[in-house]
Amino acid sequence: SLLYPYGPDQGDETNPKHDDGTSEAIALSVPFTFYGKTYQTAFVNNNGVISFDEPIRQYTPDPFPLVDGHPFVAPYWADVDNVLGGDIFYRQTTDPVLLEDISQDITQYFPKNPFTPTWALVVTWDHVAYYGSTSEKGNTFQAVLTTDSKMFYIIFNYWDIQWTTGAASDGDAETGLGGTPAHVGFNSGDDTNFYNIPGSQTDAIINITTSSNVKVPGRWVFRVDDFQVTGVDPPQLNNDCWL
């Protein structure tokens, strides 16, 4: 499977069933460096965002760079409502089997920088519904933060994306489409540095399960300590990006 193992049997924590909710503050057992700044606290926010230092409850995505100075990672920033359906799981792990899988994957994509991680934060949105939904549609996607304490990577995995927009973001309650679609990318918090995955905040983002920057449909991988874009030449959408 594209997704790394997740769920209660993996020891995952589960976010509360609460619209626009968030996890408790997660004290990172290994500090994480993002755009040159190191953070020791993260939040898993229901609306498809992993933030540093403080939670993010905003449900309609804004374009990056954000002016409010919040550093965060957006695997799929949109108006998730896990009260209506789905679960949000997370765990910090040093499991050697998982870390070996991550090591093999990242070293394959970045062969010039062999990578042996010592820690990962695995966050999974499992068949989550959208706000105002009158359908059974759900999105399943995952973000992994991982490091060997020298290099810092983030992996986005998209398994099943059925909707782009909640009803309060002008989306259609039956289809989960239209309005202001989901945003995928990275905001450094410094008003200058950011990255938007092609298709963000357009109807095309529903096709992210077929796109990649590492030639694995549905997977995007970035080195984020000193942020580096790999395999993508925005704004053109070449065949390597959108299959």
Side-chain angles (χ1 to χ4, degrees), residues 35 62-66 74 77 156 183-187 193-201 205 220 222 227 229 232 234-235 237 242:
Y35 278 104
D62 283 327
F64 294 162
L66 300 180
W77 185 16
F156 289 164
H183 195 115
V184 180
F186 303 86
N187 190 68
N193 292 297
F194 64 96
Y195 180 70
N196 301 319
I197 282 183
S200 284
Q201 292 198 283
I205 202 64
W220 293 73
F222 299 90
F227 192 89
V229 176
V232 182
L237 305 185
W242 296 93

Side-chain angles (χ1 to χ4, degrees), residues 100-123:
E100 175 61 24
D101 286 346
I102 293 172
S103 173
Q104 290 183 3
D105 288 342
I106 291 181
T107 299
Q108 176 185 341
Y109 310 142
F110 302 90
K112 294 180 181 177
N113 294 305
F115 180 67
T116 305
T118 55
W119 168 92
L121 172 67
V122 181
V123 183

Side-chain angles (χ1 to χ4, degrees), residues 154-191:
I154 294 179
I155 304 168
F156 289 164
N157 294 321
Y158 299 94
W159 184 248
D160 188 19
I161 300 296
Q162 301 181 357
W163 62 267
T164 64
T165 320
S169 308
D170 296 325
D172 183 283
E174 185 174 349
T175 65
L177 305 175
T180 303
H183 195 115
V184 180
F186 303 86
N187 190 68
S188 69
D190 65 9
D191 297 343

Side-chain angles (χ1 to χ4, degrees), residues 7-215:
D9 61 338
Q10 299 292 326
D12 282 6
E13 304 283 337
T14 305
N15 267 22
K17 297 278 189 181
H18 190 271
D19 183 41
D20 303 329
T22 180
S23 71
E24 299 176 352
I26 302 166
L28 301 178
S29 55
V30 175
F32 196 80
T33 300
F34 180 64
Y35 278 104
K37 295 182 180 179
T38 299
Y39 300 94
Q40 298 186 350
T41 305
F43 291 83
V44 172
N45 304 280
N46 288 6
N47 290 332
V49 169
I50 302 168
S51 57
F52 299 104
D53 289 349
E54 58 186 288
I56 301 290
R57 300 183 185 275
Q58 183 176 331
Y59 54 85
T60 299
D62 283 327
F64 294 162
L66 300 180
V67 296
D68 60 15
H70 291 147
F72 68 76
V73 177
Y76 202 82
W77 185 16
D79 197 359
V80 170
D81 189 347
N82 64 344
V83 177
L84 292 179
D87 291 292
I88 300 156
F89 301 109
Y90 66 92
R91 74 182 181 281
Q92 297 186 74
T93 181
T94 57
D95 174 58
V97 175
L98 175 68
L99 293 178
E100 175 61 24
D101 286 346
I102 293 172
S103 173
Q104 290 183 3
D105 288 342
I106 291 181
T107 299
Q108 176 185 341
Y109 310 142
F110 302 90
K112 294 180 181 177
N113 294 305
F115 180 67
T116 305
T118 55
W119 168 92
L121 172 67
V122 181
V123 183
T124 310
W125 286 258
D126 183 44
H127 202 72
V128 290
Y130 55 93
Y131 180 81
S133 172
T134 60
S135 75
E136 298 295 314
K137 287 186 173 185
N139 287 346
T140 300
F141 58 96
Q142 184 178 71
V144 179
L145 282 59
T146 187
T147 184
D148 61 0
S149 292
K150 298 184 184 71
M151 295 180 284
F152 297 77
Y153 285 93
I154 294 179
I155 304 168
F156 289 164
N157 294 321
Y158 299 94
W159 184 248
D160 188 19
I161 300 296
Q162 301 181 357
W163 62 267
T164 64
T165 320
S169 308
D170 296 325
D172 183 283
E174 185 174 349
T175 65
L177 305 175
T180 303
H183 195 115
V184 180
F186 303 86
N187 190 68
S188 69
D190 65 9
D191 297 343
T192 303
N193 292 297
F194 64 96
Y195 180 70
N196 301 319
I197 282 183
S200 284
Q201 292 198 283
T202 76
D203 294 340
I205 202 64
I206 200 165
N207 298 319
I208 198 167
T209 54
T210 66
S211 65
S212 180
N213 68 334
V214 292
K215 296 183 169 56

